[in-house]
Amino acid sequence: MNMETQFPLNRRDFMARTAAVTAALAAGSALPARGKPVAETSRAPEALAFPKGFWWGTATAAYQIEGGANADGRKPSIWDTFSRQAGATKDGLTGDVACDHYHRFEDDVKLMADLGVKHYRFSISWSRLIPDGRGALNPKGVDFYRRLAEALRAHGITPHATLYHWDLPQALQDRYAGWQSREVTKDYADYAAAAARSLGDVITHWITMNEISCFAFWNGYNLGKPGHHAPGIELKTRKERAQTVHHALVAHGLGCQALRASSPGRCHVATAENFTSFVPIVETEEHLAAARRAFVAEEPNACILLPLLTGAYNQSWLEGQGDQAPEVVEGDLETIGQPLDALGFNCYSGIYVRAADNRRGYELIPMFDNFPKGNMPWLNIVPESIYWGVRMVGEAAGQARLPVFISENGCADGAAANARHEVADVDRIMYLRAYLRSVQRLVAEGHPMVGYFPWSLMDNFEWAEGYTKRFGLVRVDYATQERIPKLSYHWYRHVIQANRVV
Ligand code: GCO
């Protein structure tokens, strides 16, 4: 593109240019991905800047990328079992091979180094480290994560390891019904301690859980019908669900203690939660007050985020449960409310709220099918959700100075590779840029926003969606395992280099 052109373009010039780019793409010519980003015409670059040392990262999860399902002593997780059930995933596909990252991690680390990220969030497969979920460690499993962490560190990338990204060892599901049993809390704590003891010299940043809301509340279990994620259990009562969630919360708290007690040096402990962000429909005091009320009152914030941050279930939520409330053993709430070094916010979408003259004082604005989406039915594009989500954690959950990082943010793309193997995923760039401005607004206003990890480094096994949804900055050709950095990868590289939204 000729940079000497006068902006703004008139409509005819603009159309001509768009047509030229479209034609170039169709013909497979090179994308204008490299080079120095130019200053924005409308705002001074420093207005969109991030502080020095801001964590630019990216994220993945074990079952979604590793493959090597039976390699070197790994035993099945609940996802290995669930994905084999008829109709459980699109096209009946599993994570058996996925991105074959288990055998290709060195190349994948190089992709990250070229991208310029200094932080990487991945997860440890519990049944690779401890194949039966409890008992003996698998030395080859330890060795894999050690080699991964060392490769990252050799490139100046800090590893952030999630201990639980939904892949419970099947042995524990069989033994005592997994998260439905309190027994899992002890096994999880032992696993956390073993991970810190065996890997704590090369991994210092830990994330206890990924999205308790998803695996224990929304997806893995369901009221009155089977869950559409592993273990796919149908629960009969709200109490059973509250109890399952409670076990995950207690496990998180015990995990925090175990990590700190067993790490060879000081470690950094966070959790990653996709709490619901409530966005005031207009930024006025009345709508903001409405959003704050919704933030603490609505499930699952009331019964997951609040206890995680404050060591107490929302009181009115608890009263509303009556005999369906979870059984809480003495000391549990203190365990759950362990102080965190940071909170990871997995943010994809949000819910608009307005003030209302009703008992609750707010009303949720219903979304509709043709609201703009990120190529997933649930992924309504609400960029302000990052800003308000983080503000509400500070204001409503009483954790004003708790550092927060965006542990996931992204969308699926609709772009195909062209004849030259390029993927012009402008939909993802549009999405990420809009959300990143919301992150930058937090920074600019002095909120403790410390990092950004777009989901995901590369296309991967998208759970029940199989391989049909592509969330990666890098395209994976599953037939050949070729990695093709998409246009969004190059865009993100510019962001990191310039340390600002471009
Ligand atoms: C989640 C998980 C990821 C998903 C991603 C896209 O938040 O659901 O952490 O594993 O792949 O969110 O759906």
Side-chain angles (χ1 to χ4, degrees):
M1 190 181 277
N2 171 10
M3 289 304 175
E4 278 160 28
T5 310
Q6 291 298 305
F7 287 90
L9 297 172
N10 66 34
R11 187 178 147 78
R12 208 193 47 202
D13 282 352
F14 174 76
M15 297 300 281
R17 260 151 205 284
T18 319
V21 171
T22 312
L25 288 176
S29 66
L31 296 169
R34 301 219 167 229
K36 233 171 163 285
V38 289
E40 286 209 337
T41 49
S42 57
R43 291 176 75 175
E46 59 275 15
L48 297 170
F50 285 84
K52 203 163 165 271
F54 187 78
W55 294 355
W56 293 114
T58 185
T60 63
Y63 192 71
Q64 295 183 273
I65 65 164
E66 280 181 5
N70 303 311
D72 299 331
R74 179 184 180 276
K75 286 194 181 171
S77 74
I78 53 175
W79 264 99
D80 295 85
T81 309
F82 179 75
S83 59
R84 284 182 161 64
Q85 287 170 17
T89 67
K90 283 258 170 67
D91 308 321
L93 293 176
T94 71
D96 279 3
V97 178
C99 308
D100 196 29
H101 173 76
Y102 187 72
H103 300 109
R104 295 166 194 263
F105 74 91
E106 280 164 336
D107 290 344
D108 293 336
V109 170
K110 283 197 195 106
L111 272 173
M112 285 185 246
D114 286 348
L115 178 57
V117 292
K118 291 282 176 250
H119 297 266
Y120 173 51
R121 173 180 177 224
F122 60 98
S123 80
I124 293 180
S125 154
W126 185 343
S127 62
R128 199 182 288 291
L129 210 70
I130 306 176
D132 292 314
R134 48 162 65 179
L137 268 182
N138 171 18
K140 291 197 169 162
V142 175
D143 184 55
F144 169 68
Y145 293 109
R146 172 167 294 280
R147 283 182 291 128
L148 172 63
E150 282 171 353
L152 290 163
R153 289 160 68 103
H155 284 95
I157 301 171
T158 303
H160 296 245
T162 307
L163 284 174
Y164 188 73
H165 203 122
W166 307 355
D167 45 359
L168 188 79
Q170 181 63 38
L172 301 184
Q173 188 66 34
D174 296 342
R175 191 179 184 106
Y176 49 63
W179 294 104
Q180 287 179 270
S181 160
R182 196 177 167 94
E183 277 197 68
V184 74
T185 62
K186 183 170 180 307
D187 283 337
Y188 175 85
D190 290 345
Y191 160 50
R197 265 198 305 272
S198 56
L199 293 163
D201 57 330
V202 286
I203 301 176
T204 53
H205 287 64
W206 300 95
I207 294 171
T208 56
M209 298 275 172
N210 182 67
E211 303 185 355
I212 295 177
S213 315
C214 267
F215 77 80
F217 189 90
W218 296 119
N219 297 341
Y221 305 82
N222 221 327
L223 288 176
K225 59 176 181 182
H228 68 283
H229 275 190
I233 304 281
E234 173 178 341
L235 298 176
K236 300 282 183 251
T237 63
R238 280 189 295 125
K239 187 182 176 82
E240 284 176 284
R241 182 167 69 177
Q243 202 62 50
T244 307
V245 166
H246 186 74
H247 296 148
L249 291 170
V250 173
H252 153 81
L254 293 174
C256 291
Q257 294 172 335
L259 287 168
R260 288 181 173 133
S262 307
S263 288
R266 161 136 176 71
C267 65
H268 180 279
V269 181
T271 195
E273 194 49 42
N274 66 325
F275 55 90
T276 310
S277 178
F278 294 92
V279 176
I281 191 78
V282 190
E283 292 188 14
T284 60
E285 271 312 316
E286 54 159 349
H287 296 303
L288 180 49
R292 280 198 187 104
R293 276 191 214 109
F295 185 82
V296 293
E298 292 285 323
E299 286 180 334
N301 289 8
C303 60
I304 297 179
L305 181 72
L306 277 248
L308 278 176
L309 293 182
T310 67
Y313 286 103
N314 174 299
Q315 195 52 33
S316 49
W317 176 84
L318 203 53
E319 282 159 16
Q321 300 312 298
D323 65 358
Q324 297 296 297
E327 302 294 338
V328 176
V329 174
E330 210 188 320
D332 276 1
L333 293 171
E334 207 188 329
T335 303
I336 293 170
Q338 291 304 298
L340 294 172
D341 293 293
L343 175 69
F345 179 17
N346 289 3
C347 182
Y348 290 87
S349 192
I351 296 180
Y352 289 107
V353 185
R354 68 176 165 204
D357 194 11
N358 59 21
R359 192 179 46 83
R360 301 184 305 177
Y362 66 85
E363 189 184 333
L364 308 182
I365 313 283
M367 286 304 209
F368 34 91
D369 283 350
N370 56 357
F371 187 90
K373 297 200 191 331
N375 286 300
M376 289 292 273
W378 50 267
L379 215 167
N380 295 309
I381 301 180
V382 183
E384 316 89 307
S385 53
I386 286 192
Y387 176 78
W388 287 108
V390 174
R391 282 239 352 222
M392 299 276 159
V393 166
E395 294 170 8
Q399 293 272 347
R401 296 320 302 165
L402 178 67
V404 182
F405 58 100
I406 302 304
S407 34
E408 284 180 28
N409 173 234
C411 65
D413 65 59
N418 68 19
R420 287 177 60 142
H421 273 354
E422 292 160 337
V423 183
D425 55 338
V426 284
D427 43 4
R428 172 170 297 102
I429 295 177
M430 179 272 289
Y431 175 99
L432 293 179
R433 184 186 282 133
Y435 278 70
L436 200 51
R437 281 180 175 247
S438 201
V439 178
Q440 202 277 336
R441 181 175 171 195
L442 289 160
V443 165
E445 293 179 10
H447 299 288
M449 164 50 57
V450 298
Y452 183 69
F453 294 67
W455 182 270
S456 175
L457 171 66
M458 56 188 160
D459 295 341
N460 56 50
F461 177 74
E462 178 55 24
W463 309 114
E465 301 294 332
Y467 294 92
T468 56
K469 298 291 180 182
R470 292 177 174 271
F471 276 79
L473 297 167
V474 174
R475 185 179 178 88
V476 176
D477 178 335
Y478 295 109
T480 61
Q481 290 296 345
E482 187 189 356
R483 274 54 166 157
I484 308 168
K486 302 180 191 177
L487 192 51
S488 60
Y489 172 99
H490 297 293
W491 168 81
Y492 188 43
R493 204 170 139 267
H494 283 322
V495 168
I496 297 171
Q497 259 173 20
N499 205 31
R500 64 179 174 85
V501 185
V502 297

